[in-house]
Amino acid sequence: LQVLRDGPFETLTRAQGLPTDDLTVVQRGPDERLWVGTTDSGVFVWDDAVTRRLTVAEGLGPGPVRSLATDTGETVFITTASGITEVTGERLRFTGVRDWQRRPLHTSTPARAGGLWVAFGGGALKRFENGQLHDVDRAIARTRESSPIYEDRRGALWLVRPDGTVATFRAGRLEPVELASQEVRSFFEDREGRVWIGMQDAVAVFSNGGWRTWTPGEGLPLRNVSQWVEIDDALWIAGANGIVKIPRPALRAFVEGANVAPAFVRYGRADGLGSLEFSRHRGAVELRGRLWFPTRRGLAVADPKFRPASQAPLQVVFERFEINGVAHDPLAAVVRAPKGEGAIHVAFTAPS
């Protein structure tokens, strides 16, 4: 458990009471406590200490925990590699899948009509409702292997097709998303109903009739963005290089079409994060004024009211690079200049 309090993160591990450090997903439970899924130790409920454990012995399905979700009532849905366990109060009901070791479940997401959308590791998509898995429309029966799924508040299901392109499915109609193809890691819907896509080397959001994309060339410091948390004054995202906080004014300017990348604060190892390996499963939440991110070495917890310990360098966009009047790629890893005297001209843009 990594806690941002007086500056750097503290780390609480199994020695302080966690059943394991290898975490996959977190979810705010109906009891307003934090439910935590793990790779090798089932699910536990955290409230300043472990207050409940759910393992195979208690009726949980075997295998790593892939996702956690709640319905409008008191039920928590736990998707493991082997099936789905419904937890209502003290009662557990497990629905398993055949041959799960060859066809494990990969992820699930709540369906607005009830139940879950469930994706298998091989790409098959099913619907889970009333304790049973059901077939879906043939147009969406296959998705890209190990890709995310998400149903937005309009009832559109976002998915990745087998060819790697993104599409939405609503009212029986499959619509392609006009977005440059990349490996998709996550979908996220913000408070205004905009859907964001976390990709291998970019973040994209649909706004004002078009896609706004933020890439490393424009200052994005993260890769493989997989976790998102939105609070009143900022959007927090986590990826392979740490955690980034985007303040609300910078976020608004970016989605409304500003020609500069959003300003941000970045957290990494220098700030005390014990691990930069965040779970690929959607699972960061806000609870009791704190932000919770599952990692492979504990649970990263941030106090959003704390003034950041470190500010990322200015987000510089290099526009032109010349040596003796000859233009070179400003993003090239290596540019060689001839010996002797000469002139180097660099044109860039950065916020003041």
Side-chain angles (χ1 to χ4, degrees):
L1 183 64
Q2 302 171 345
V3 185
L4 181 58
R5 290 178 177 164
D6 299 325
F9 284 81
E10 295 180 37
T11 301
L12 302 179
T13 65
R14 286 177 292 184
Q16 287 78 37
L18 294 184
T20 181
D21 300 330
D22 196 351
L23 311 179
T24 57
V25 64
V26 295
Q27 172 69 40
R28 181 204 300 260
D31 53 3
E32 287 299 305
R33 296 181 180 181
L34 191 72
W35 290 57
V36 184
T38 75
T39 298
D40 53 10
S41 299
V43 172
F44 65 92
V45 178
W46 179 264
D47 187 13
D48 294 328
V50 175
T51 61
R52 187 178 184 183
R53 289 282 308 275
L54 296 174
T55 65
V56 174
E58 286 76 34
L60 182 68
V65 177
R66 306 297 198 190
S67 66
L68 296 169
T70 58
D71 63 8
T72 56
E74 297 296 314
T75 299
V76 177
F77 296 92
I78 304 173
T79 300
T80 60
S82 61
I84 298 166
T85 305
E86 299 167 79
V87 183
T88 306
E90 297 299 316
R91 184 173 65 87
L92 279 70
R93 181 175 71 172
F94 174 63
T95 302
V97 297
R98 296 179 181 177
D99 200 16
W100 68 270
Q101 292 175 324
R102 287 201 310 115
R103 298 174 58 251
L105 299 186
H106 167 66
T107 191
S108 66
T109 193
R112 296 208 167 263
L116 304 171
W117 298 97
V118 180
F120 286 73
L125 185 66
K126 300 284 185 180
R127 177 77 176 273
F128 177 80
E129 192 171 15
N130 297 325
Q132 293 184 334
L133 286 166
H134 304 276
D135 291 335
V136 298
D137 191 294
R138 290 181 60 185
I140 58 171
R142 300 293 301 180
T143 64
R144 188 173 180 86
E145 183 174 357
S146 300
S147 64
I149 50 176
Y150 175 72
E151 185 176 352
D152 66 25
R153 66 189 66 171
R154 300 179 303 112
L157 179 66
W158 292 72
L159 52 87
V160 184
R161 295 188 291 186
D163 63 1
T165 58
V166 178
T168 61
F169 181 77
R170 184 184 182 194
R173 186 172 181 178
L174 188 69
E175 295 283 351
V177 172
E178 300 298 329
L179 184 66
S181 179
Q182 267 204 39
E183 193 71 25
V184 175
R185 304 300 191 194
S186 60
F187 296 112
F188 172 76
E189 186 175 10
D190 66 22
R191 294 181 179 182
E192 284 73 40
R194 292 181 292 254
V195 173
W196 296 71
I197 303 179
M199 295 176 281
Q200 183 175 355
D201 285 302
V203 167
V205 59
F206 190 79
S207 179
N208 297 327
W211 284 96
R212 296 279 291 126
T213 303
W214 187 20
T215 66
E218 298 163 321
L220 175 66
L222 303 180
R223 301 183 73 248
N224 299 326
V225 170
S226 59
Q227 297 182 24
W228 311 71
V229 180
E230 184 180 16
I231 57 175
D232 290 340
D233 65 348
L235 176 66
W236 295 60
I237 58 178
N241 304 71
I243 295 175
V244 161
K245 171 188 173 183
I246 308 173
R248 179 70 60 183
L251 187 68
R252 184 179 301 112
F254 176 70
V255 299
E256 291 178 355
N259 291 323
V260 295
F264 62 87
V265 177
R266 179 181 178 182
Y267 300 93
R269 292 192 184 278
D271 302 290
L273 270 175
S275 173
L276 301 184
E277 189 176 358
F278 292 88
S279 167
R280 284 189 56 181
H281 299 280
R282 184 173 178 268
V285 298
E286 184 276 331
L287 180 64
R288 297 179 183 176
R290 296 203 170 211
L291 310 180
W292 307 74
F293 301 84
T295 81
R296 300 300 303 272
R297 295 184 181 178
L299 193 59
V301 186
D303 178 357
K305 295 180 180 179
F306 177 79
R307 187 173 180 177
S310 66
Q311 181 77 28
L314 291 178
Q315 296 87 62
V316 178
V317 177
F318 289 101
E319 298 179 343
R320 188 171 180 80
F321 184 76
E322 294 181 354
I323 299 177
N324 296 331
V326 178
H328 295 265
D329 181 1
L331 299 180
V334 177
V335 176
R336 300 188 183 279
K339 295 181 179 180
E341 295 184 358
I344 296 177
H345 176 79
V346 179
F348 64 91
T349 300
S352 60

